[in-house]
Amino acid sequence: MTWLLRLLSPLDRKLARDLWAMKGQALAIACVIAGGVSVFLISAGMLDSLTETRRAYYERYRFADIWAPVVRAPDALAADIRRIEGVQAAETRIRAPLLFDIPGMSEPASGEAISLPDGREPLVNQLYLMEGRLPRPGQRGEAVVIDSFAAAHGLEIGDTLSATIRGGRSELTVVGRALSPEHVYTIAPGQIVPDPRLYGVIWMSRDALGEAVDQDGAFNEAIVRLMPGQDAAPVIDRLDRLLDPYGAPGAYGRDDQISDAFVSSEIEQLSTMGRILPPIFLAVAAFLVNVVLSRLVATERAEIGLMKAFGYRDRDVMAHYLKFAGLIGVLGLAIGGGAGVWLGRLMAGLYTDYYHFPFLVFTANPRVYLLALAITVAAVGGGAILAARRAAALHPAVAMQPPPPPDYSRTAGMGLTRLTLLDQPSRMILRRLVQWPGRAGFTLAGVAMSGALLVGTLYFTDAMEAMVSSYFDQSNRQDVTVSFVEPRQRSAFHEVARLPGVLAAEPFRSVAVRLYHGPAEERAAMMGVTRGAALSRMIGADGRGVETPPGGLVLSGDLAATLGVEAGDRIRVEITEGRRPVLELPVAAVVTTLIGSGVQMELGDLNALLGEGEVVSGAHLVADGDAVDRLYTALKSAPGVAGVSLQSVAERNFRALMDESMGVAIWLYTGFAGLIAIGVIYNSVRISLSESAHEFATLRVLGFTRAEVSYILLGEIGILTLIALPAGGLLGTGLAWYFAEAMSSDLFRLPFIIHPATYGFAAAVILVTTALSGLIVRARLDHLDLVAVLKARE
Amino acid sequence: MTPAERQTSTAPCFRTRGLTKVYGSGENAVHALRGVDLDLPEGELVVLLGPSGSGKSTLLNILGGLDAASDGEVWFRDHELSAANPAALTLYRRRHVGFVFQFYNLMPSLTARENVQLVTEIADNPMKAEEALGMVGLENRLDHFPAQLSGGEQQRVAIARAIAKRPSVLLCDEPTGALDSATGIRVLQALKQVNETLGATTLVITHNAGVAAMAHRVITFSDGRIGEVRTNEHRVDPSELSW
């Protein structure tokens, strides 16, 4: 170490030793910088990685821009679709729901089968084949299985798989394992969390699937890729007109494609986090650098005077202190860079559990690293420049004189601190606060900000918990939802209700609709529910199911907002299936739904409007826990059942998702908030000690005990912390409100709910941090050199 | 009661035997005290003289409970300071010792009165802060902050702070070191007055041999040992001193 020092110039050696002497404080500041840098790297890098991976994947595997489902349209239309202006490529295909029968698994797994063109790669939505091959034309029993489902069931090439498609049972041989750009987030319709065990996708040859679903020479979905730069809306219009005679509910773009909507929502959230958090960290770091450096300059007055007396120029002195800050910045960058990349990789790993890309490597592009460097330099430099300039501006003759004692007579003599019932140590604490209001204010702001960050990030757990409880405990209390292949007579519902193990059942009718109000237009799913539905229903603000008045609609809040309607307005409803009636209906109520959106109507009213008789699309069931296996078995072989979803499993999955990925992210951010608290509090206490070491030692000489002196040292930060707690709670409430607004999407809305326990936990973290910082610094108090005080002049 | 009478009626205020203090170890060891035997009677004003590094400050620190001896015994009345733990030494300083430093060491955030109250609040039988400040002639400067007081005034506040607890001993390390001669004399007068009215055993370290003339007893240090101890038959009033 010493030989290394000898290589340095004397000034740099001084720098190295100063830095070593202040290593605790330097490290605390570096950690705050590191917090900002790593949050920035994680969010910006993850944002980059996800965006770039998605772009490359979509581009390379020709992800569709538009999906246009129909009931049944002749293959010949494909040529017309390809001729639409702006269409680069189009493919027609068959898509059908199915039920799997997995040996040894009692729950019914559902999924969908998608056709592949015979004998060639599709032009749109190509598969990323991980293993095996595509089905051979003419080979009816072959299927490619989506990787997640294959992995969940240990399916390998050559294994057989039983699937019921449209009531017909197929024995399929697995010939390949693949990913698809359409199924990055592989999720069952109506679900919120993927379950690779219970939901799978298979691809079959067009012939084979066409035969299974009776669509020979026909297709039920067209997918379209647009020319670069082409707007989707006019093409969607043309498609709708072209396909209207074939029972088209309406084409939709990537916005409404469920997998991409989830990926986009994730990207949006990352970008929000990346916008908010790093600036907070770096502002705190800049403040800390300024405070610590100012303190250093104050203690080194004499040295600065000497340096200048010896002929060092102003800029040498300034450079010296800027270097000091620069080294701390470099340390922070190094820690933050390393931690950011490491955590980013960890996070990328978590993402790949839920988002299935062929590859997802955490790679921030050089711009991100440069930006991290630039904002660190700006923060540290901004913090250091004032102190460094102050050092450079000192006149040598003045600098070598000891500084005059701080004059408390003007500021601290007033008001509160004059109260006679105060003891002197308390008076000292108060006067120090009043004497340096700027410093006290900054400390207060720093602690409050870390408290706010804690509340803001912990809020997510509260919001998620509220979402889960609202969605599963109130809105969707069924255990099982059965959906039929097509609407069936009410008697089909009674058959399901009579299945073994069913304790209660409720029918529903679901139709695709388009809602219009003025110029606004939205696609939505309309649910017909029975009066007094107790299982699956919309929940009002009072937590009770909303009764749908006869003939009226209940709209989810987000839909109402996009359409610009309130309760009492009338909207135009175009039902995009069956006879396709267009209706003017009154909005009876608008309710806030946390997950998903939609519109609800009374089942009888809906059926009356549709004119298809007493039909239902499926049923919600409450199952007897002891007989659930028998129910599952019965459902697997029930005719006309297209899909079965299990709410209890979904809830478990949702909680697992919260614990795993969101849990990690939330605790990570909580840790970072704690880091800020440590940085601010430790530095404040440490600086108080070094500024007043002389006074504290004098007090010890005068016979004050360690506890009494600690009271003065820690009382100041204690008071500031106590004031900062409510301020931080208030700021955190604001931050949580902003997160709730900024992070809500079409997929879900974060409720603005903060539990008292969240405030309590945040306060506890701050108090423990304060106590720990206090203890660490107090240990130094115990080793004050009392003898030196008698001789030293400050 | 004269010091001589006290000496005969009671045990000495301080007694040391073989007092040794070594800083550092091995080649770097510095022997600050090399076996000091000393008896200081109650109530005397003692001046310690000697060049820098002769051991007088080390002795003062050990007597004041700020530093521990490497070897030997130190007794304050019937308490063995050399056997006391840090908490006991804190209590000893709190109850019995008043310190006056070369650089005053006042709390800049407290007024003159409050600086004195700082000590009276934790003392067992203190005088009023105003009374202590009156004894050093500062009754008109009670509510001034240190930054508003001259060096001599600050030192007198420090003396008032030291005496307000009615200490048994008053330890002063270069109390006039930072002051001009006229101001220094005022401070010495204050010390003399306190010694006489409170009867506190007073030790004053100084570089200034002239100050020795006001003492009951003068101890000269050199190289960690006591070179000479003499008692003044005729004490000179501080007002007659000059340097």
Side-chain angles (χ1 to χ4, degrees), chain B residues 122-222:
Chain B
I122 59 165
D124 293 334
N125 177 31
M127 61 180 82
K128 278 193 153 326
E130 293 78 3
E131 186 188 343
L133 285 163
M135 284 177 73
V136 294
L138 286 178
E139 50 278 87
N140 298 322
R141 313 287 270 169
L142 295 177
D143 293 323
H144 288 62
F145 283 90
Q148 298 169 297
L149 297 171
S150 71
E153 285 171 328
Q154 289 187 56
Q155 190 60 299
R156 281 185 285 150
V157 174
I159 293 172
R161 182 177 66 181
I163 61 171
K165 67 165 91 159
R166 304 182 201 278
S168 314
V169 292
L170 192 56
L171 304 178
C172 314
D173 197 346
E174 300 273 8
T176 59
L179 303 173
D180 62 70
S181 126
T183 317
I185 284 165
R186 287 217 62 180
V187 166
L188 292 177
Q189 276 174 324
L191 285 178
K192 177 168 182 278
Q193 188 200 348
V194 166
N195 170 253
E196 281 164 5
T197 46
L198 297 180
T201 308
T202 304
L203 270 69
V204 180
I205 286 182
T206 179
H207 269 105
N208 187 341
V211 174
M214 70 178 274
H216 293 110
R217 186 184 297 259
V218 182
I219 302 176
T220 310
F221 269 77
S222 75

Side-chain angles (χ1 to χ4, degrees), chain A residues 405-409 413 418 422-425 427-428 431 694-695 698-705 708 786-787 789-793, chain B residues 57 61 66-67 86 90 93-94 99 101-103 105 107-111 114 117-119 121-122 143 145 147-148 161 165 173-174:
Chain A
D407 186 356
Y408 281 82
S409 60
R418 284 280 190 197
L422 281 178
D423 60 4
Q424 306 314 321
R427 199 186 308 281
M428 286 172 70
R431 290 219 174 122
H694 203 72
E695 288 177 40
T698 302
L699 289 168
R700 293 280 291 122
V701 170
L702 292 178
F704 280 77
T705 61
E708 285 163 341
L786 305 188
V787 171
V789 168
L790 297 167
K791 286 287 174 194
R793 168 150 201 165
Chain B
S57 285
N61 293 341
L66 296 176
D67 207 350
T90 300
R93 292 198 297 272
R94 188 174 185 137
F99 281 100
F101 311 100
Q102 181 177 4
F103 295 113
N105 290 15
M107 302 294 137
S109 56
L110 298 179
T111 61
E114 290 160 355
Q117 284 170 342
L118 186 66
V119 167
E121 276 171 6
I122 59 165
D143 293 323
F145 283 90
Q148 298 169 297
R161 182 177 66 181
K165 67 165 91 159
D173 197 346
E174 300 273 8

